[in-house]
Each structure stands twice: as C-alpha cells, then as structure tokens.
Amino acid sequence: MRWNSPGTLVGGAAVVAAAVTLTALAWPDATPPDHSAPAGTTEASSARSDTRPAAPTTSSGALSKPPSTVPSVRQFEAARGSGWRPGGNSGVVIAKNSEQLADEGKLIAKELKIDYRGAVAAKAGDVELALESGKQAGPESYTLTARDGRVKIAGPDEAGVFYGTRTLKQSVRADGAIPEGVIRDQPDRPQRGLNLDIARKYYTPGWIESRLREMADLKLNQLGLHFSDDQGFRIASDTHPEIVSQQHLTKAEVQKIIALAGRLHIQIVPEIDSPGHLGAVMAPHPELQLRDVNGKPTRGAIDISQPAAAKIVDDLLREYDTLFPGPYWHIGADEYQALVVSNPEASFPQLAAAARKKYGANAKVQDLTTGWMNDRAAVVGAKKRDVSAWNDGFFPGGVVKADQNLQVDYWTGKEIGARPPLDYLREGRSVINLNDEFLYYVLGQPNDFVYPTGQRIYDQWTPFVLRGTKPVPQKYSKQILGARFAVWGDIASAQTQDQVAAGIRLPLAALSQKVWNPVKPDLSWAQFKALANKVA
C-alpha cells in the first residue's frame, strides 16, 4: 500500500495526498484484531471527541489544511484564504446546461440550511454545481474549488457532483467550513456498498431508507438485497403469492426504496439465491425439495432435475427483473447441499441421471449445478446486466464451465471445496470482495463468526485481502471491482434493527475509507473514529 506523499509546493499552493495510483498490499504495521466487543455492543458507544485539525485558518498568510471527511479526499491543493462557510446570504445555484443537478442542489441546500436558487448566476457566498467533462475523468469524479468566498463543485456526471456535495457537507459539519483550495477526488473502486439479508430478518422500509442515506454520505453506491432464503421470502409476489412471508415489503415500498436509492446514486443489487437457500419458496411446494437416495429431504435445496424447479425460480426472476431496473443482479449459487457430500452421484442419483442426459456420459452433479447457474444468469442477463454469484458456486474441472461473464462475489474459503481467490483471478474473472473474515456481520455470531469492528477493517483490510488476512498480488487490481460489507440474519433475534444499525456504522465508515482512497490513512483509528462520529 502506498503511503501519503509529503506536500510539495506547486505554484504557491501545496498538493496534499495526491496519490491516485491503484495500490495493493495490506500494511505491515497492522494491529491485532479487536474481538473484544460483546454481542449487542458497538464501537459507537465511545465518547465523540474530535482530534482532527482545527477549522481552516482565517489568516490569508497560512496554507489551508485538507478537509475533514470520511472517506478522506484523494487530492487536495492547499491555498491561502479563509475557506467557505455557509452564511445568511449563501445559496446553492446550478450552472448553465446543468439543470439535471436540481435534486443534488436542493438536498445540499437543505442540509446546509441555505437557499436553493436554481439556474441563476453565482454570486459571493454561493455554492455552484456544474456538469463539466474532464480529461479521462470517471463518472464518479469531481473537482471542488473553494476560492474567494465561493464554492464550485463540478464533475462529468451527476454522481460525481453529488459526492462533491457530500464532501462539502461533512467538512462543514466537522469544522464549520470547507478549506480554501482545490479538491480533486474519485473512488478507487467502482463497486462499494452494503449487503443486507432481509430474508432471515425483516427490516422496516424506514430503516432501509436510513441506511441508504448513511451510505450516500460515505460515498457508497451499492445496496445488495438478499430477500429469499430458507426462513423467509420478503417481497410481495404476483406470480407466486403463496411463498411470501407474513412480514414483507410491498412492491410500493420497494419502489420507494429504489427511487430514494436512485436520488442518492446507489444501485440496488437484488438476489434470489438458488438452487440452495430456497426453503421459503419450497414450503408450499414440498414436491420440489431435493431428496437423497433414501428419500431424506435436503434442507433448502431444490431438486434441479425437475423442470418445475427451473420454472418457479425463473418465474420469480422475471417478475423481479421488472421491479428492479438497475444494472446488477445476484443469482446466489452458494451452498447447494447436494455437493457437500462425499459422493453426490451416489447420494442423488436423479441429479446424476439428469446431468448425463443433458450434458453427456461424463457429466456429474456439479455440471448440472453449473448449468443451472448459467441458465439463471441468462434469464436476468437478457437486459445486459452484470450478473454475479457466490464463489462457492464455481467449480473446477467438469464438463460444463461457468459463464465467463459471471462476476464472483468472494466470501469464503471455509466451505467444502472452496477455492482460493487466485483461482478466479487467474481465470480472468472480475471479483467483488465480501471476505467473511472482515466483512461479515452475522447476527448471533454462530459458527465461530465474530462481529467485525471498524478498527480491524481500518487497520488490517484492503480490497486485495479477499480471503483470510493475506492480500492477493497487485497485478490483479483491475479485476477487483470493490467490496460490500454484509449483514446476515442467521439468528435474527440476536439484535434489534437499531442494534444492527449501531453495530455496522463504524465498519461501514472504515470500508468506505478503504474502497475510496487507496493510500494508508493519515489518521490513527482513534482519530478516524472521532471524525466518523462527528460527521455522522
């Protein structure tokens, strides 16, 4: 991991934290993991003392300091001046040909408690938002200039300008002002977010919307919704209403969540997990449950040798494909129990026979399972979406190969037959980091899981640490698209939704720092935690 470079004078200004090159390694001075927090507690309970530098100096002779934000900005060009702070005459205005930024403008005006004046010329004290194309600038990049009592936030796309308003909001909240100078900022990783299991634990729409607002301030851009599992199916269905749990989200509630996410530049990643984790779907359809050679039912597993199994899952995929308009879909594919026995072909002869019939004499149960995954990906991928599956749904060898376009959500190396991350990277696959060692918040802490802490993520984890604690080589950087922090409801009653919100707040802040800015943070964990508490 590259360390911050010392500031150097450029044309009378100082460039601070200018490193934007992708970097790779976990840091050698990482501290031991902190597993001391008991169930139901949170790092947020500590005192909220601020250890960041003081607000920008009002002396025109001194250089300003970088803004206090989570995540920290990638590049700051210091200047001499008092910076900008909201005043009685301040307002938010929209630059010419940038009318699409009205929502962003109204939101930041409300948050800063200043006027929103729309598409008019900027004057002293104003914040101006503008769409401006830049050389090789990504859609989430922005430039924020604070000069002579004004602020201008410009970017090539609405998302980047929105992130610039998050920087402004946090700096004002932390220090009362945005420092004089120029910020040039963009994320290190394109996919950054939270994965939420709403199948095993019901969360209210208002709670989910609050998480979206929290994520937006941290510049996170994905919310994964795992809404089908053995314990529940949590979104209303028109095609199969019989499978829906009593506590569930209506489609109107989901549409409201999607609309808010869109305004906050967050994409929803829906997930219907199959062919395992389908207990709620099969409850009213017991004839579809997988049974072994002795007739014993296999928990959560659907019998993929039956055409009716594909039909019900595809019915649901097509139905929710219409509800969720975004560019991502998750098809699960993990923990299919037919493949965790020593001899799947002997234990499940109907699956073995179906595999040979469909894929030839040498095909096995893993080939039938891989073919199932490919077929489900084709259903939701018809609209050219990016489709992902869990890493333990990809198998080596075999007659049938997983579709090369499938992205890998890497979560574990602990499952039977699970392969190391390098196997997928060497195949040229894109990978999203959900390392269960650092990024799994499993309610009740079963199976040796421990609630992850923000400190451990901040001190020891980077996007390159895909499995355990060891990073993969830097040369695979472009294939590692980002990371999501995952909340799983294994023991749903272990925490209330408010306890979950408190428990994940600092881990989400630490994650946001690591996927946005690749350099080693300047702040100690204690300083970062104090700042995260202050800007929240």
Side-chain angles (χ1 to χ4, degrees):
M1 179 62 65
R2 180 169 294 138
W3 293 67
N4 280 333
S5 303
T8 55
L9 287 177
V10 179
V15 179
V16 181
V20 295
T21 304
L22 294 177
T23 56
L25 299 176
W27 306 311
D29 60 342
T31 58
D34 177 9
H35 289 166
S36 60
T41 64
T42 170
E43 297 160 302
S45 60
S46 61
R48 297 190 173 198
S49 59
D50 181 29
T51 55
R52 288 288 291 181
T57 177
T58 57
S59 169
S60 61
L63 283 171
S64 57
K65 297 179 180 179
S68 302
T69 62
V70 176
S72 60
V73 301
R74 298 283 296 275
Q75 186 182 65
F76 176 66
E77 183 180 307
R80 292 176 173 83
S82 58
W84 179 92
R85 63 187 68 239
N89 295 322
S90 298
V92 176
V93 302
I94 307 299
K96 186 178 179 180
N97 299 322
S98 302
E99 291 78 9
Q100 304 98 302
L101 297 173
D103 284 346
E104 288 77 11
K106 291 174 183 176
L107 178 60
I108 188 62
K110 180 179 179 181
E111 291 168 331
L112 296 178
K113 297 180 173 59
I114 59 179
D115 292 337
Y116 173 74
R117 291 200 280 269
V120 298
K123 61 181 182 59
D126 281 351
V127 175
E128 182 182 28
L129 307 185
L131 291 174
E132 295 179 358
S133 59
K135 292 182 179 179
Q136 299 180 337
E140 295 183 299
S141 65
Y142 69 92
T143 300
L144 187 156
T145 304
R147 181 179 297 143
D148 300 330
R150 301 186 187 192
V151 172
K152 181 176 181 180
I153 303 173
D157 189 84
E158 294 170 53
V161 176
F162 176 73
Y163 293 140
T165 67
R166 302 305 88 196
T167 294
L168 177 62
K169 173 188 175 181
Q170 285 198 12
S171 184
V172 170
R173 181 170 287 184
D175 294 329
I178 188 82
E180 195 89 0
V182 179
I183 296 164
R184 295 180 178 89
D185 206 12
Q186 62 181 346
D188 182 49
R189 303 287 149 178
Q191 297 188 31
R192 314 174 301 278
L194 170 66
N195 214 71
L196 185 62
D197 173 10
I198 65 172
R200 285 177 278 194
K201 183 177 180 66
Y202 172 78
Y203 295 90
T204 64
W207 188 92
I208 296 173
E209 290 170 4
S210 292
R211 302 290 72 72
L212 287 171
R213 294 185 180 94
E214 179 182 352
M215 292 168 60
D217 281 354
L218 295 171
K219 302 184 175 78
L220 301 176
N221 66 359
Q222 283 188 341
L223 175 65
L225 286 182
H226 175 93
F227 63 91
S228 170
D229 213 301
D230 296 340
Q231 295 82 355
F233 193 97
R234 300 290 181 182
I235 298 178
S237 172
D238 299 319
T239 60
H240 291 280
E242 74 279 4
I243 71 174
V244 179
S245 302
Q246 184 176 2
Q247 275 191 314
H248 66 271
L249 299 174
T250 68
K251 287 191 174 179
E253 289 170 335
V254 173
Q255 287 168 339
K256 185 181 176 185
I257 289 168
I258 293 171
L260 175 62
R263 293 195 297 274
L264 299 174
H265 301 279
I266 295 171
Q267 296 287 350
I268 305 293
V269 185
E271 179 191 356
I272 296 179
D273 201 349
S274 78
H277 295 280
L278 283 171
V281 170
M282 292 185 296
H285 301 280
E287 72 280 1
L288 296 179
Q289 186 164 24
L290 179 66
R291 295 178 180 272
D292 68 12
V293 66
N294 298 313
K296 181 180 178 181
T298 304
R299 177 177 171 82
I302 202 165
D303 186 347
I304 60 176
S305 70
Q306 298 189 46
K311 182 181 184 306
I312 193 171
V313 172
D314 288 351
D315 284 348
L316 296 168
L317 290 173
R318 291 189 178 99
E319 177 180 359
Y320 296 104
D321 188 55
T322 301
L323 179 63
F324 292 97
Y328 302 105
W329 249 101
H330 201 301
I331 56 172
D334 64 314
E335 298 182 314
Y336 189 48
Q337 295 302 299
L339 291 169
V340 301
V341 298
S342 59
N343 189 336
E345 287 68 40
S347 295
F348 301 97
Q350 75 275 35
L351 299 184
R356 291 191 297 270
K357 181 178 179 180
K358 189 170 184 178
Y359 298 113
N362 294 324
K364 297 183 177 181
V365 174
Q366 80 164 48
D367 298 301
L368 190 68
T369 308
T370 300
W372 169 280
M373 181 174 69
N374 289 342
D375 290 344
R376 307 295 76 77
V379 171
V380 295
K383 294 181 181 178
K384 305 300 181 183
R385 285 185 168 93
D386 290 333
V387 184
S388 57
W390 299 108
N391 66 283
D392 51 327
F394 295 77
F395 306 100
V399 174
V400 182
K401 306 297 182 184
D403 189 316
Q404 188 61 36
N405 292 323
L406 277 169
Q407 297 179 358
V408 178
D409 275 16
Y410 198 97
W411 72 280
T412 186
K414 300 172 184 175
E415 296 291 296
I416 295 174
R419 294 185 289 157
L422 283 176
D423 280 13
Y424 307 93
L425 295 169
R426 287 168 180 154
E427 291 174 2
R429 293 191 181 276
S430 297
V431 177
I432 298 94
N433 191 327
L434 289 100
N435 184 341
D436 64 351
E437 178 80 14
F438 291 90
L439 306 179
Y440 260 38
Y441 194 94
V442 184
L443 299 190
Q445 304 182 110
N447 302 318
D448 298 323
F449 281 107
V450 177
Y451 292 132
T453 66
Q455 180 173 7
R456 191 170 184 226
I457 295 169
Y458 189 79
D459 287 340
Q460 294 188 343
W461 178 85
T462 78
F464 292 86
V465 182
L466 285 158
R467 174 178 176 173
T469 59
K470 184 179 179 180
V472 298
Q474 180 179 357
K475 66 180 180 179
Y476 296 109
S477 180
K478 290 183 179 180
Q479 292 171 240
I480 302 172
L481 301 182
R484 293 195 303 276
F485 185 86
V487 179
W488 297 103
D490 290 43
I491 304 176
S493 62
Q495 289 192 338
T496 67
Q497 63 177 17
D498 289 340
Q499 286 175 318
V500 173
I504 69 175
R505 190 178 63 81
L506 285 173
L508 274 180
L511 175 81
S512 77
Q513 174 66 37
K514 298 310 223 20
V515 291
W516 186 272
N517 194 337
V519 301
K520 181 176 173 65
D522 285 333
L523 302 184
S524 68
W525 167 249
Q527 292 172 322
F528 180 86
K529 181 170 66 172
L531 176 59
N533 286 335
K534 192 168 187 178
V535 301

